[in-house]
Amino acid sequence: MRWARWSWGGRFHLGTVSPSGDEVTPRVAERHVSDMAAVIASLAGGGPVPEPTGARLPLSAVTLTAPLARPARNLFCIGRNYRAHAEELATTVFRDTVARADGWPIVFTKVPETVVGPHDPVRLPGAAASEQIDYEAELAVVIGRGGRDIPRSRALAHVFGYTVVNDVSARDVQVRHQQWHLGKSFDTFCPMGPWIVTADELDGTDTRVRCWVTSGGHTELRQDGRTRDLIFDIPTLVETCSRGITLQPGDVIATGTPSGVGMGFQPPRWLGRGDVVRIEIDGLGAIENRFE
Ligand code: MG
């Protein structure tokens, strides 16, 4: 199934998207609509799919929000997790933080307040804060059943589904502070959506991730990768993030980005006002955000 959150008629709604992708059906009473995590916890625990609470609507009539509009806590994010991406940064200031396949993943976080909808604008923070804004197309894992010390062998049973994120990054701020947290956590720096596809409908371990940038009226495919090329695969990431930390339903793990980020070009190609970034993942859908 595909689970989405949207606004319509001055209210927020939470429910399912039809297989055709043309219609949405509200399934959760309005007082609970902010809490996709509660729905995930119920479904992951074997609970029934809630009955419709209202009429079906054309998708074109509603405004999608992020499916997890405000995650309960920071998003787990993985750095340098595609070989080609690690290689494109090998001559940059990040050359010393390339993950090794025989080592441990790089893990950092973004604050929950970064999350915006699949078509919302991303706010450029201003030159005083950063002049090096970059995109990162990523498949994000949404945890279903929680747990601690989850072994690789059982990790996929804890995955509720997948969504698309843009791990927007301020490169100069990442470098300036050594730790990446500030440079990854500016307001609006995590477009998410268009919905969550449940793990029974999408094999997140092998799907295609693409990113287009439109700048000055010209659209260019910048990133084109497959999640089978992750250095640390999804079961390993769940195992890693749950080691000594109890994962909760609705937790998000962004799995890393393929090669083709702006920083990898010579000279770098930073995002500017009016640029549009579109990220599409096969079997999932697309998000598209204007930088303002
Ligand atoms: Mg990233």
Side-chain angles (χ1 to χ4, degrees), residues 77-80 85 108 110 136-138 166-169 171 180 184 254-257:
C77 304
I78 311 303
R80 304 296 119 76
H85 175 56
F108 60 95
K110 293 169 91 81
E136 293 189 354
E138 304 196 13
N166 186 347
D167 175 19
V168 183
S169 306
R171 301 299 187 197
W180 298 356
K184 295 283 192 175
T255 57
T257 200

Side-chain angles (χ1 to χ4, degrees), residues 37-83:
V39 174
I40 291 171
S42 172
L43 293 169
V49 174
E51 293 297 320
T53 54
R56 282 179 299 167
L57 285 168
L59 180 68
S60 57
V62 308
T63 301
L64 290 172
T65 72
L68 289 154
R70 182 58 49 85
R73 59 178 175 180
N74 286 24
L75 293 83
F76 295 86
C77 304
I78 311 303
R80 304 296 119 76
N81 203 22
Y82 287 82
R83 273 177 202 85

Side-chain angles (χ1 to χ4, degrees), residues 3-16 25-40 50-54 63-72 196:
W3 283 87
R5 183 179 183 271
W6 62 90
S7 67
W8 182 79
R11 295 179 178 185
F12 290 105
H13 307 265
L14 198 156
T16 52
T25 302
R27 293 183 184 273
V28 179
E30 189 190 14
R31 66 182 179 279
H32 299 305
V33 294
S34 292
D35 202 359
M36 179 69 91
V39 174
I40 291 171
E51 293 297 320
T53 54
T63 301
L64 290 172
T65 72
L68 289 154
R70 182 58 49 85
I196 298 168

Side-chain angles (χ1 to χ4, degrees), residues 2 9 16 24 29 42 45 48 84 91 131 134 155 162 185 194 206 213 228-229 251 277 283 288 292:
R2 288 184 263 188
T16 52
V24 289
S42 172
T91 58
E131 294 183 306
D134 209 349
Y162 302 94
S185 291
D206 185 14
V213 175
R228 67 174 176 227
D229 295 324
D251 274 344
V277 178
E288 187 171 306
E292 298 179 349

